[in-house]
Amino acid sequence: MKFAVVVFPGSNCDQDCIHILRNVLHQEVTAVWHQDASLDDAQCVILPGGFSYGDYLRTGALACFSPIMAAVQDFADQGGLVLGICNGFQILLEAGLLPGAMLRNRSLRFVCKPQLLRVENNKTPFTHLYGEGRLIQVPIAHGEGNYFLDPEGLEQLRKNKQIVFRYADATGNASSEANPNGSVDNIAGIINAAGNVLGMMPHPERSSEAVLGGADGLLLFQAAIAYLAERG
Amino acid sequence: MWKAEIHVTLKDAVLDPQGKAVRSVLGSLGYSAVEKVRIGKYLEMVLNVDSRAEAERQLDEICHRVLANPVIEQYDYQLVEVPR
Amino acid sequence: MWKAEIHVTLKDAVLDPQGKAVRSVLGSLGYSAVEKVRIGKYLEMVLNVDSRAEAERQLDEICHRVLANPVIEQYDYQLVEVPR
Amino acid sequence: MLKPEEIKQTQAWKAMGLKDEEYQRICEILGRLPNYTELGMYAVLWSEHCSYKHSRPLFKYFPTKGPRILVGPGENAGAVDIGDGLAIVMKVESHNHPSAVEPYQGAATGVGGILRDIFTMGARPIANLNSLRFGNPQDEHVRRLVRGVVAGIGDYGNCTGVPTVAGEVGFADCYSGNCLVNAMSVGLAPHELITQAVADGVGNPVMVVGSTTGRDGIHGATFASAELSEENEEKRPSVQVGDPFTEKLLIEACLELIQSGVVVGIQDMGAAGLTSSSAEMAGKAGCGIEMDLTLVPQRETGMNSYEIMLSESQERMLVVPKAGTEEQVKAIFAKWGLHAVVVGRVTGDGMLRIFHHGQLAAEVPAKSLSTDGAPAYVPPAEKPAYLDELWQYDFQQLPDLELEEIQEAFWQLLTSPNIVSRRWVWEQYDHHVQLGTLVGPGSDAAVLRLPGTKRGIALTIDCNSRYCYQNPRVGAALAVAEAARNIYAGGGEPVAITDGLNLGNPEKPDIYWQLRETVLGIAEACEALGTPITSGNVSLYNETEGQAIYPTPIIGMLGVLEDAQKHATIAFKNAGDLILLVGELGEELSGSEYLEVRRQLIAGPGPKLDLAAEKRHGEFCRTAIAQGLVNSCHDISDGGLAVALAECAMAGRIGAQVRLHSSKRRDGLLFGESQARYVLSLSEEDYEAVRDLAVEHGVPISLLGRVGGAEFAVELGENRVIEADLQKMLELWNTGLERLLGEK
Ligand SMILES: Nc1ncnc2c1ncn2[C@@H]1O[C@H](COP(=O)(O)OP(=O)(O)O)[C@@H](O)[C@H]1O
Ligand SMILES: [Mg+2]
């Protein structure tokens, strides 16, 4: 498969995503500079983590105006697979590709730690290799992951099964103690209504090699590859 | 030349963790009279345009597109003419 | 009850990385008239005190001790009386 | 600006921190009276911070050579050969004063500065470390400092995409008015890309790249100059605001530039900005530089030559590329949205010649400004009086712990400020980015894998400053020994250090004595352990109201692992594993955390030093780890044996049962901090092999107990003296610092 990883000024997980896709999963990957206009013929686009534009003003707020984002929007409109990780998720929110907005963590502190997630929807191109309700461990590292959406919007998300991951504890309970940032309804990741654009705060690329402490995240990339292979 | 003073604040329905934290710090320092704290952004911007109307047109666009996220924030601004 | 509107801004000689980044993005979006952007904080605070003098006394202290670091920042505020 | 004659009349150099004889010397060097800009340049570059004038003469004691050392002290950072054609570049730097007045920005810009030292060498920064000291965590002012400093370090490293993988935090009253913030950075480069800070090749252009220049950070010594009106002073904040976003772009642009092969020399504009970078680069090459300040991109209007030369605006570099490649340099920086501007050229006459608005603003021999040209002092030294009193203490008079007190003492130590988990700190640091971190914070050393090789590195930063207070020489050597122990415990071979010397005012004889002893102690330990000094930093005058901090020589150490996968952590792994002590059961109490926390006592000469044992025991542990014989390894430091064992159990989330047979003092046995010791765990079937290895290395070992269960229990002979529920321990341990800081 062919992946594109978009590099914004200030992205810093671009090389990590490329490493996993290229060296662990042996896929074709190109780094696409934010000022490019085209995604070439990529089949899946990843907006990586980092601090695009220093996260100045609001996280993701300035990156969403990069020229490449028009191409990402088109690609998504045509049903292309888009994955936004951490800062990538924040950019997707600011660009309006996903609903809601990010606030600072409830603690007001950056938090970097292993995190358990409950897979809420395993019928997406990115999660079909997980069992429904399965607990996976994927690290988080962010200062603004406190997802906000108004009650009506939230109701919509729930109804459409757009909530893909929730923060959970070891017993699988999406409790407020398990919520690392104050995110509404313990939301860690959501997908758009069409089911092709996923945004998530945790970093699956950081849990894709056993030597780094776990490989639960690898399945997410493998799922996308399998989905694309099947779709042809 | 016009100088804009822009306020971007969180909508009332949105919890303001920073404001809450400041209030609690103030409380622990003994400022118990402080009852409510909300924290937003304050921007100063100089626009090199000739008319107030043009300044307003651009500012509305800029605030709406860039400076405030309508999902969580609201904005307002004041304009004053400044010498070039 | 008094409501304070407080502005905390970086001193002029201090670099404002946020303002710089916002200005450059606005430039690339075609807003070439924008000549200067500085970003600071805006706080609203309600103080349950009886007199303006007392509100000012507390606010000066709060701004100086907690809200702004005089090494790099400056502040000012406005007070309005609000009904209890 | 004052005229040369007016300077002379008003003795303006005094306010800039120059001594009368230093002013005389400047006049002699120039053969005339210096103008204001020139005086300012000398004042800053001849300050302690830039010229190390009170410490430099001591550096001759440092071992700085070794087969692995590619670049020793004197460059932006040191470089160490780790095999496979790769080099590790590393350095530590203090940002104590800025952090004390503006903790967030002070700490953040400290990280920014040390990162620039690394990537100007052509190395990509792959890890950050930090060493912090504060006063009492229950004091509200101290809490603000801690919050600000930690957030500042975190945000800057996080934003630039460099993982913060290790560090240390200490609390003691002597740091109340003088917090210490030392940041260390580590980079990786192929040998051939290692670049130095020289301005060579007459006619080559001199370029300023990165951020614009403003009035920020025109520094301490010159800050209080009589010339500055109050209004002016307002305009000149002594603390800068960091821009990690620009720094990230600067990293990428500079590395791309260096890879392109056009760079002759490159230097970060740190302290004393344009002055130090130009003088040092020219001085080193034996060349001169001619610059026109009008061309320097400025963020403010109306800056004079003094301000431009001394500005410490962040995220800037001085680059000397090969003549004719200017456009290529500009193109690379433009891609990253940064400017690169030619401001002058390299000349052959050794003069630093500065023009501003068509006028000659300064003209001084470059070498006279650089470190080698600056004055150096050897002040009188005198052993401080407090030491004799400390050393005379008779431990016989100290009552031992009663059996029933032990449990309480254990909890007290576990939750004491200097021992309790630092999780609250390092959870604010991204320690995974770049996917190299095999072992992050929470173990002894951090262990990183490196792209393109099987090898790995181990990193740590350490100093027990109480030991240094009690005996500066031995304490400094113990700091090196502890760093080595942490490297060994991670499975690495210690190969080099970078040091940060933080002390009081060297012009006081007792402080200078401490400084000299500290240097000698480090030198001795580095010699014995085979870890030359590659780079370092000196921060003196850390005093408030005449009260100096403890001598705090911070040691950042690099270790190499032949196979990155063959590392160890402190965590107990499997129920049934044997627990082994490497070294002897001890009863030494001097210098221990126990003595201070439980008995409010600092007494004696500190723990004993045995460098040969350190090396033997460490090499034994490293070999056992490399051979895959042990499942965990942890050195014994603050809190002694009982705390070390508890840490292994908590890290592994599994209990342990330990039984000690000894007639020694109970307090010393459990909580004493005798050095050169480790706790290992291993499966029973490997026991013989480990025992044979220990005999081979001449290392005493003894069996302490077994891993397993939900309880941490210690028996002294027949008495169960510690009995703790692991879950409860974890809870108190993990949230302890938060509670001390009033965050929870
Ligand atoms: N300021 C800090 N930043 C990052 N990691 C830290 C910091 N302070 C402590 N740590 C980490 O916490 C662990 C325990 O630290 P410490 O008690 O100093 O270890 P040791 O006694 O082995 O030197 C180590 O892994 C260390 O790297
Ligand atoms: Mg240790």
Side-chain angles (χ1 to χ4, degrees), chain D residues 330-580:
Chain D
K330 287 182 194 169
I332 289 174
F333 280 82
K335 174 183 161 201
W336 294 98
L338 299 168
H339 66 234
V341 178
V342 176
V343 298
R345 60 187 187 91
V346 178
T347 62
D349 65 0
M351 297 301 280
L352 187 57
R353 198 172 291 113
I354 311 295
F355 294 92
H356 194 217
H357 298 310
Q359 306 257 312
L360 185 65
E363 185 176 31
V364 306
K367 265 221 160 83
S368 69
L369 283 171
S370 70
T371 313
D372 294 333
Y377 301 110
V378 181
E382 194 188 316
K383 185 174 160 196
Y386 75 87
L387 283 174
D388 287 329
E389 197 184 319
L390 276 188
W391 292 357
Q392 272 161 18
Y393 184 82
D394 173 16
F395 280 87
Q396 301 285 328
Q397 75 193 60
L398 187 77
D400 196 354
L401 277 174
E402 296 301 328
L403 282 172
E404 49 281 5
E405 278 180 292
I406 291 176
Q407 174 99 355
E408 189 195 301
F410 170 73
W411 284 113
Q412 196 179 355
L413 272 174
L414 207 60
T415 52
S416 87
N418 283 324
I419 289 182
V420 79
S421 170
R422 272 67 184 118
R423 175 181 298 267
W424 180 87
V425 173
W426 47 256
E427 266 188 5
Q428 298 183 57
Y429 303 152
D430 187 340
H431 40 267
H432 292 312
V433 63
Q434 296 191 21
L435 300 187
T437 313
L438 300 180
V439 180
S443 203
D444 276 332
V447 179
L448 274 72
R449 65 175 180 180
L450 307 171
T453 170
K454 225 176 111 183
R455 280 167 215 270
I457 56 169
L459 298 168
T460 185
I461 188 163
D462 290 283
C463 173
N464 184 319
S465 57
R466 196 194 305 109
Y467 300 168
C468 297
Y469 170 72
Q470 293 181 243
N471 187 338
R473 186 154 177 170
V474 169
L478 286 174
V480 180
E482 182 182 352
R485 234 179 291 137
N486 283 329
I487 297 291
Y488 281 129
E493 177 196 356
V495 298
I497 72 155
T498 177
D499 68 295
L501 305 178
N502 301 270
L503 291 101
N505 177 357
E507 294 167 57
K508 296 183 183 167
D510 52 340
I511 303 287
Y512 187 72
W513 186 87
Q514 288 182 337
L515 176 64
R516 199 179 65 196
E517 290 289 293
T518 299
V519 167
L520 293 172
I522 293 175
E524 190 184 336
C526 285
E527 203 75 70
L529 295 170
T531 54
I533 290 128
T534 63
S535 58
N537 180 257
V538 181
S539 167
L540 302 177
Y541 302 96
N542 290 292
E543 298 199 3
T544 6
E545 286 160 23
Q547 211 41 52
I549 59 165
Y550 292 163
T552 314
I554 287 168
I555 307 298
M557 190 177 281
L558 168 71
V560 174
L561 290 85
E562 287 299 315
D563 182 347
Q565 309 277 356
K566 297 207 170 122
H567 60 258
T569 69
I570 70 169
F572 284 157
K573 302 278 179 325
N574 315 307
D577 276 1
L578 300 175
I579 302 172
L580 220 61

Side-chain angles (χ1 to χ4, degrees), chain D residues 444 486 634-635 637:
Chain D
D444 276 332
N486 283 329
H634 185 18
D635 74 313
S637 58

Side-chain angles (χ1 to χ4, degrees), chain A residues 117-133:
Chain A
L117 308 177
R118 193 172 72 199
V119 180
E120 304 289 6
N121 178 350
N122 71 340
K123 309 272 182 313
T124 79
F126 298 100
T127 55
H128 62 92
L129 297 181
Y130 297 118
E132 192 172 49

Side-chain angles (χ1 to χ4, degrees), chain A residues 53 55-58 62 65, chain C residues 17-18 21-22 25 29 39:
Chain A
Y53 290 93
D55 273 359
Y56 295 149
L57 194 65
R58 290 183 311 280
L62 300 179
F65 296 108
Chain C
Q18 287 209 72
V22 169
V25 168
L29 288 175
I39 304 189

